[in-house]
Amino acid sequence: MSKRASFAFPTSARLFGRRLISHWREQSAIIRTAADWTVLLYVIIPGGLFGGRLYYGFWNEALPSWSTFLPFMVIPLLLVILLSTGGMLLLLQEGDLLFLRQRQSWIKTIMLRGIVYSLAVTTLKITAAFVLLLPFLIRGYGLTAEAALALLFLTIACSWCIKLLGHIVRVQRQSWRRWLWQIPAIALPCGIYFRVVLFWSTYPVLLWITGVLFAGAALFAIQYRLRMRGTFMNDVREDYKQRMKIAGLLLRGVLDKPRPTRYKPWIFRKSEPLLSSKLPESRLSAAAIKALVRNPAHLKLYLQFTGVAAVAIFIVPPLLKWLVFVVLTSLMAYWLFSFWSLFIGDDYIGILPFTKEQKAEAGSRAVPILLIPFAVICSAVVCFSIYAWWGLILFIPLGAAAGFMISRVFGTFRLER
């Protein structure tokens, strides 16, 4: 028996095929955990029949009245949103670092086939979306068959370019540099695509030329990707993210998204005292403030509520603005004291020798500091809406005073002394 025949998968093509089948089985198993095939049939069959009848009506009956009011730029905008989503699946595994390290040709073959598979899936996704939009393009906006075909080719070629460039950036860059490099990798091709599509009626050949350029950039990106070195672990990480996308969608409302590992916090990077006082109560207050700001979930909720509150105050009549301001600031104070209760009840804080009075004093210092920025922003909305330029002078003292007073009122019955 030859040495090649002794392997379970004697060729890299056979190994890729086995991994692709395993990937399909994994995705189907994830879907079956949410709904049995019997349940899906009850949804797919009626939905398919209803959707087919609706699509037939788009071609043979009058288009919906709402479609006549939409400008053409809505179509490329929807396609741009579709282009900018998704990623690449190379079907690399952690064990390849040990067993295929000496077979670079195998790894290249698996990567190349993974790229072709990912681009094929992207092509099918783009084509399906384009077919759904085709009645509106031809009957609603008057595209000819040749123009629609050119637009489809341009969209597919642009999607290939974006997927490859975005993948290269994700496996090469980390943290904020990754987001910075996403601008030329994703935003720039999307902007070019959106601009070119608007010329379909005056310069239809421009769609074909731009599509060819995007396809050429995609071929260059494939060659560059196969020559890249030192990104194996990032490739495996990106593959894992793509494989777990369906599971993430199913579990989004059930489990919290795991926080990424950080060696340094993104804010307050140095563990210096936040407050000038060196009393134990001040140190505990500073720790609570840092805990809220450094936690992405808590900070996101704080900022979201601030934005919603500012909009709510802006749209209500002037006579109700101060009343709504007080109510919303009270709601924020209630949430901040709830956060304080969770923070002070943590097991780690429980081992520290703080008395009940010290914890209450620390809470009465931390919550006003956290509440005042919210109160000042909302106060600015009120003052600028009612008092015009006088609001520039009034919003900071009024907002700070209101935040301090409301936090004191809540602290009298929320803090245990």
Side-chain angles (χ1 to χ4, degrees):
M1 184 180 294
S2 65
K3 183 177 180 181
R4 176 177 292 273
S6 63
F7 289 105
F9 301 99
T11 63
S12 56
R14 293 274 301 276
L15 178 59
F16 174 81
R18 180 67 179 85
R19 290 185 177 180
L20 184 59
I21 294 173
S22 299
H23 170 67
W24 289 341
R25 290 175 177 172
E26 181 184 46
Q27 299 305 307
S28 64
I30 292 173
I31 295 174
R32 285 198 301 271
T33 59
D36 187 72
W37 287 115
T38 306
V39 178
L40 289 178
L41 287 178
Y42 281 106
V43 176
I44 293 174
I45 293 177
L49 293 175
F50 177 75
R53 175 61 184 87
L54 196 64
Y55 188 72
Y56 175 83
F58 289 158
W59 280 108
N60 297 279
E61 300 172 3
L63 290 174
S65 58
W66 53 262
S67 64
T68 59
F69 299 101
L70 296 178
F72 176 75
M73 65 176 57
V74 174
I75 299 295
L77 183 61
L78 293 175
L79 293 174
V80 162
I81 295 174
L82 185 62
L83 293 175
S84 59
T85 59
M88 302 289 298
L89 183 67
L90 303 183
L91 293 177
L92 295 176
Q93 297 180 0
E94 295 87 341
D96 295 343
L97 188 62
L98 297 176
F99 296 101
L100 296 183
R101 189 65 174 174
Q102 304 303 321
R103 293 177 177 266
Q104 291 296 326
S105 60
W106 280 43
I107 292 182
K108 282 188 176 181
T109 301
I110 293 174
M111 290 176 59
L112 179 59
R113 290 172 180 261
I115 291 172
V116 173
Y117 168 75
S118 300
L119 296 183
V121 172
T122 299
T123 302
L124 292 176
K125 182 176 68 172
I126 295 295
T127 304
F130 195 85
V131 169
L132 294 177
L133 295 173
L134 200 57
F136 301 96
L137 291 172
I138 293 179
R139 299 188 63 203
Y141 299 105
L143 266 74
T144 62
E146 294 78 11
L149 184 62
L151 180 58
L152 176 61
F153 172 70
L154 172 64
T155 307
I156 292 174
C158 183
S159 69
W160 292 350
C161 184
I162 290 173
K163 293 295 183 296
L164 288 163
L165 294 179
H167 171 77
I168 290 173
V169 170
R170 283 191 290 270
V171 299
Q172 278 191 324
R173 307 295 175 181
Q174 300 295 329
S175 66
W176 61 270
R177 296 179 182 86
R178 174 187 299 180
W179 298 105
L180 188 62
W181 278 92
Q182 294 289 337
I183 297 176
I186 295 180
L188 183 60
C190 286
I192 294 174
Y193 169 83
F194 183 82
R195 185 60 179 170
V196 169
V197 170
L198 298 181
F199 290 109
W200 70 268
S201 59
T202 54
Y203 303 102
V205 70
L206 187 60
L207 275 67
W208 290 104
I209 295 174
T210 309
V212 171
L213 294 177
F214 275 134
L219 291 176
F220 175 79
I222 292 174
Q223 295 178 354
Y224 178 80
R225 180 64 191 88
L226 295 176
R227 292 195 302 266
M228 287 172 56
R229 294 291 182 269
T231 62
F232 180 81
M233 296 308 299
N234 290 338
D235 294 334
V236 173
R237 182 200 65 208
E238 288 298 320
D239 265 26
Y240 180 78
K241 287 182 178 179
Q242 296 302 318
R243 296 203 311 268
M244 291 294 106
K245 269 192 171 182
I246 296 179
L249 291 174
L250 295 176
L251 297 175
R252 177 174 294 179
V254 180
L255 299 175
D256 292 333
K257 183 178 179 181
R259 295 172 59 186
T261 301
R262 292 184 180 273
Y263 298 99
K264 289 184 178 180
W266 69 278
I267 193 170
F268 299 134
R269 299 176 68 89
K270 296 181 180 180
S271 297
E272 297 178 351
L274 185 62
L275 304 177
S276 59
S277 176
K278 296 183 179 180
L279 295 175
E281 296 85 351
S282 297
R283 296 295 179 89
L284 185 59
S285 301
I289 296 170
K290 291 181 179 180
L292 187 142
V293 175
R294 287 173 174 173
N295 189 300
H298 291 154
L299 183 60
K300 181 181 178 181
L301 183 59
Y302 184 97
L303 296 177
Q304 286 177 339
F305 188 76
T306 302
V308 171
V311 173
I313 293 172
F314 180 77
I315 63 178
V316 298
L319 295 176
L320 299 177
K321 288 185 184 296
W322 281 117
L323 177 61
V324 174
F325 166 79
V326 173
V327 172
L328 293 176
T329 306
S330 300
L331 289 175
M332 175 60 81
Y334 179 83
W335 178 74
L336 290 175
F337 277 106
S338 299
F339 163 76
W340 173 260
S341 300
L342 292 175
F343 172 78
I344 210 66
D346 188 83
D347 295 337
Y348 179 77
I349 300 298
I351 64 176
L352 300 176
F354 286 105
T355 63
K356 188 175 294 186
E357 290 76 13
Q358 287 177 319
K359 292 179 180 179
E361 180 64 26
S364 64
R365 298 183 184 186
V367 172
I369 295 176
L370 292 170
L371 182 61
I372 285 175
F374 170 86
V376 168
I377 293 174
C378 293
S379 173
V381 177
V382 177
C383 291
F384 290 140
S385 301
I386 299 177
Y387 308 117
W389 289 107
W390 283 102
L392 190 63
I393 302 174
L394 297 175
F395 82 96
I396 293 180
L398 289 178
F404 182 80
M405 292 176 61
I406 292 174
S407 62
R408 286 294 185 184
V409 171
F410 272 81
T412 56
F413 59 88
R414 290 299 302 272
L415 297 175
E416 300 180 2
R417 298 183 181 271

